[in-house]
Amino acid sequence: MDLGWSVGFLPDGSALVTERDRFEVLRVTSTGQKTTLGKVPGTVTTTGEGGLLGLALSPDFATEHWVYFFHTAANDNRIVRMKYENGVLGSTSEPVLTGLAKNRYHNGGRIRFGPDGKLYATVGDAKNSGNAQNRNSLNGKIFRLNPDGTPPSDNPFFSTGGNARYVWSLGHRNPQGLAWDSRGQLWAAEFGKNSQDELNLIQKGGNYGWPACEGTIGDCGGYIAPKRTWSTAQAGPSGVEIVNDWIYIAGVTGQQLWVTQINSSGTGVGTPQAVFSGRWGRLRGITRAPDGALWLTSTNNDKNGGTPTVLDNVIVRLTFP
């Protein structure tokens, strides 16, 4: 693989996978067969963390055939959608939401459809920490939109107008993981700066404190505290998946998969355990397949560090007894 960033499953059980730096979309079967379908037009690199990032299939994919992508373009980060029909990826894309500030680093990029049928996206602060508290900036946010790109009228700041209509939560530095538990609660993982990475339980309209507060360090009064923190050397949390209220978090910097269980009240988590430490290098994505397996992506050779291993830049399929 070339930096497999995001995975989304087709009705037949195979997956679409984005490759960050080649801007390509692959189809990968459960037996490991790989086919290149094409590129997302207009995608460019930032020679850092930008490129072709998140991917999500429409909840009505069986009839609509839309695939959504988060990618870096010449002047911005954006969400677009493309048709995938009869095994063929279209050659053109349709803008869904544009104008997200980009930078070499802190682009966020995860997109997922929630249980409510809305599209959620994580966007980093684009190395401008002031964006995170500015409701009129979509950066440093988790935002929520209708599949056609319009803001839902029940978003928390819809009445404010402008970009604030899209905001679901704010005060984020560089979130890259999204997943929902059995109660329909949204959890998100976030890269810290120098001290603490975060796992957050996201509230509608919630403010998570960046840049005044990093994890539990700083001026954190009045902000929503994370449910778990790690040192930035341990985790670097990117993709998140939840299965039976167990949370799986792909660690980039720490080069390990973190596993923890949501408590019976749904308000917190147990002590996370690290598994597969260093085995596949920098772990970027974790996604549940229709057959119950977890697909884990490694992006070890991503220009941002990592120790060369035998299995660089792979997809690992994990099954449960």
Side-chain angles (χ1 to χ4, degrees):
M1 298 288 295
D2 171 70
L3 305 176
W5 210 93
S6 190
V7 175
F9 285 93
L10 295 163
D12 66 3
S14 65
L16 299 181
V17 183
T18 57
E19 292 192 309
R20 190 190 72 185
D21 288 358
R22 283 205 294 240
F23 319 142
E24 291 181 338
V25 182
L26 307 181
R27 177 179 176 267
V28 182
T29 70
S30 60
T31 57
Q33 295 174 309
K34 182 176 66 174
T35 305
T36 301
L37 301 176
K39 294 187 176 184
V40 175
T43 306
V44 302
T45 184
T46 65
T47 64
E49 297 171 353
L52 181 56
L53 305 176
L55 173 155
L57 275 67
S58 165
D60 299 316
F61 177 82
T63 55
E64 293 183 346
H65 309 295
W66 283 118
V67 183
Y68 291 74
F69 299 97
F70 185 114
H71 75 86
T72 307
N75 299 309
D76 61 3
N77 284 312
R78 55 180 52 197
I79 297 174
V80 303
R81 61 184 183 180
M82 300 174 68
K83 290 286 189 177
Y84 178 70
E85 299 177 286
N86 302 316
V88 177
L89 182 69
S91 59
T92 60
S93 65
E94 176 181 299
V96 175
L97 187 65
T98 62
L100 312 173
K102 70 173 187 175
N103 196 285
R104 184 178 183 184
Y105 303 115
H106 299 194
N107 295 291
R110 194 72 58 184
I111 55 174
R112 295 192 78 165
F113 278 95
D116 56 3
K118 308 300 184 184
L119 183 64
Y120 293 74
T122 69
V123 188
D125 66 8
K127 294 284 284 186
N128 180 349
S129 60
N131 286 333
Q133 294 295 327
N134 178 3
R135 291 184 188 176
N136 286 320
S137 168
L138 289 176
N139 290 82
K141 309 293 189 301
I142 294 172
F143 62 82
R144 175 179 181 259
L145 59 160
N146 293 315
D148 64 359
T150 57
S153 59
D154 59 341
N155 276 358
F157 309 114
F158 183 85
S159 62
T160 304
N163 285 336
R165 296 175 300 159
Y166 292 92
V167 173
W168 190 251
S169 63
L170 66 158
H172 300 288
R173 179 178 179 269
N174 191 20
Q176 287 190 8
L178 292 173
W180 286 263
D181 64 21
S182 64
R183 295 173 173 82
Q185 299 180 125
L186 175 59
W187 296 77
E190 180 170 341
F191 285 82
K193 184 180 181 181
N194 298 315
S195 301
Q196 291 186 336
D197 295 324
E198 302 175 14
L199 174 66
N200 289 302
L201 178 57
I202 301 299
Q203 298 179 22
K204 177 180 179 179
N207 190 329
Y208 291 81
W210 178 255
C213 180
E214 179 186 351
T216 58
I217 297 173
D219 183 6
C220 299
Y223 299 119
I224 299 172
K227 297 301 181 180
R228 181 62 56 176
T229 62
W230 299 262
S231 75
T232 52
Q234 284 184 305
S238 184
V240 176
E241 187 59 283
I242 300 177
V243 181
N244 297 327
D245 285 343
W246 284 87
I247 304 180
Y248 301 85
I249 305 167
V252 177
T253 311
Q255 303 185 32
Q256 50 201 343
L257 181 68
W258 291 93
V259 185
T260 186
Q261 188 176 25
I262 301 171
N263 63 25
S264 58
S265 65
T267 59
V269 297
T271 301
Q273 302 297 313
V275 295
F276 304 126
S277 297
R279 185 168 179 178
W280 297 296
R282 294 161 64 85
L283 304 180
R284 178 65 62 178
I286 182 81
T287 310
R288 185 179 186 272
D291 65 2
L294 290 175
W295 285 31
L296 180 66
T297 66
S298 157
T299 56
N300 203 43
N301 292 338
D302 65 359
K303 302 184 179 68
N304 296 319
T307 303
T309 66
V310 175
L311 293 174
D312 281 347
N313 298 355
V314 296
I315 294 175
V316 178
R317 181 173 177 267
L318 306 174
T319 59
F320 297 83

